[in-house]
Amino acid sequence: MNKLLFKGALLSLMLVGSAGAQSQDGLKVFISVDMEGITGTVNVDDVRRTGKDYDYFRQTMTREANAAIEGALAAGATEIVVRDSHGSALNLLPEMLNRNSKLLRDWSDGPMVMMEGIDASYDAAVYIGYHASAGTPNSVLGHTSSGDVTNVSVNGIRMPEAGYNALMAGHYDVPVVFIAGDKAICDEAKALLGNVETVAVKEGIGQAALNLHPEVAREQIRAGVERALRNLDNYKPYKLRAPYTLTLTLKTEKNINKGALYPGAKRTGDWELTYVGKDVLEIMSAYKGMRR
């Protein structure tokens, strides 16, 4: 091999090695998308398949997911996974979703639910369309998991869905850096997680909601996600100390009796169940099992 050919071959090997290193070191982002916190949704029918405006709002949901994806790409993301986290988990429109992402649809039998697919390979988690916990004043469509749950706490700390989802991300040392939804969840998330970038796309006024224009909401989501991901060092994974004490309050005697059959669950009060576990995934498995 002459010197020119040798240099060309060496350069090719260096480029291949460099590309591989860049791929391994790229920014990997997990985006969980719910629907009650999307711009404009205010009534239960807005987020149900049988609702007359559901098809419109699933488009809005997909567009807000795209805004988050665009923000992540602008910050240098090389891999993005979007988790459909509402209801049937079959809401986001695949053809409309930004092609630079992968979409996870439907539910599995594991404990991760809205965080299905996350692991230690991710650099950050982003929540779009999230809502406050059940009973939060001036929340828009506020609830926790299902209509049967009135409260969830871990180690005595009241948890919205964003809270225990952040614990699951924290289990893998992944920080939650951005949340978009109604003002109530933005306030709740800041009080719980500390430093987290938020965009309130609407504000509850009793049963009503004052909304941003959808285009404005998307602009703010795009900018907020990019800003958060460009400043990853500002955010820390959300963690609590083991052992983990899960306390669950349900609405009916029937559901409490069923939940108490889960191995390790104990009835500790009026319509209240408690489970103590060694790690986050164990208590989330119990949470899922006690609600069946």
Side-chain angles (χ1 to χ4, degrees), residues 24-223:
Q24 291 173 0
D25 297 336
L27 178 64
K28 189 173 180 180
V29 180
F30 183 91
I31 303 176
S32 176
V33 188
D34 206 351
M35 198 172 191
E36 287 87 356
I38 294 298
T39 309
T41 59
V42 67
N43 186 281
V44 172
D45 284 342
D46 293 339
V47 298
R48 285 181 176 167
R49 287 182 170 272
T50 54
K52 64 183 178 63
D53 293 325
Y54 168 77
D55 285 338
Y56 165 75
F57 284 116
R58 72 188 300 206
Q59 292 181 45
T60 305
M61 180 185 185
T62 307
R63 290 189 176 104
E64 291 192 8
N66 279 341
I69 294 168
E70 291 163 10
L73 291 170
T78 55
E79 187 171 352
I80 301 169
V81 169
V82 178
R83 202 310 177 229
D84 191 324
S85 296
H86 173 72
S88 64
L90 303 171
N91 309 280
L92 292 166
L93 296 164
E95 187 69 23
M96 278 185 61
L97 202 65
N98 189 301
R99 63 179 294 170
N100 296 296
S101 65
K102 294 179 181 178
L103 173 62
L104 181 58
R105 306 178 79 221
D106 210 343
W107 303 116
S108 75
D109 290 329
M112 302 300 288
V113 192
M114 299 172 76
M115 299 300 289
E116 191 74 54
I118 200 166
D119 58 36
S121 68
Y122 286 87
D123 297 290
V126 168
Y127 297 159
I128 302 296
Y130 269 54
H131 54 81
S133 56
T136 303
N138 290 319
S139 61
V140 183
L141 296 170
H143 65 279
T144 307
S145 297
S146 70
D148 293 331
V149 178
T150 60
N151 187 57
V152 178
S153 69
V154 179
N155 291 0
I157 301 172
R158 178 181 171 91
M159 293 281 169
E161 293 172 12
Y164 57 69
N165 286 346
L167 271 179
M168 285 189 279
H171 176 79
Y172 294 105
D173 291 324
V174 179
V176 176
V177 302
F178 179 90
I179 297 176
D182 69 333
K183 183 177 183 297
I185 185 55
C186 292
D187 292 344
E188 202 170 11
K190 287 177 180 177
L192 187 67
L193 305 180
N195 191 28
V196 60
E197 186 85 21
T198 64
V199 166
V201 302
K202 56 191 173 186
E203 180 176 359
I205 304 174
Q207 295 299 307
L210 182 64
N211 293 266
L212 296 180
H213 188 281
E215 288 184 2
V216 174
R218 293 195 294 271
E219 289 169 0
Q220 292 190 14
I221 289 169
R222 188 181 300 112

Side-chain angles (χ1 to χ4, degrees), residues 1-16:
M1 181 183 293
N2 63 38
K3 289 184 179 180
L4 184 60
L5 287 173
F6 177 77
K7 287 181 179 179
L10 182 60
L11 179 60
S12 296
L13 287 170
M14 291 174 64
L15 288 172
V16 169

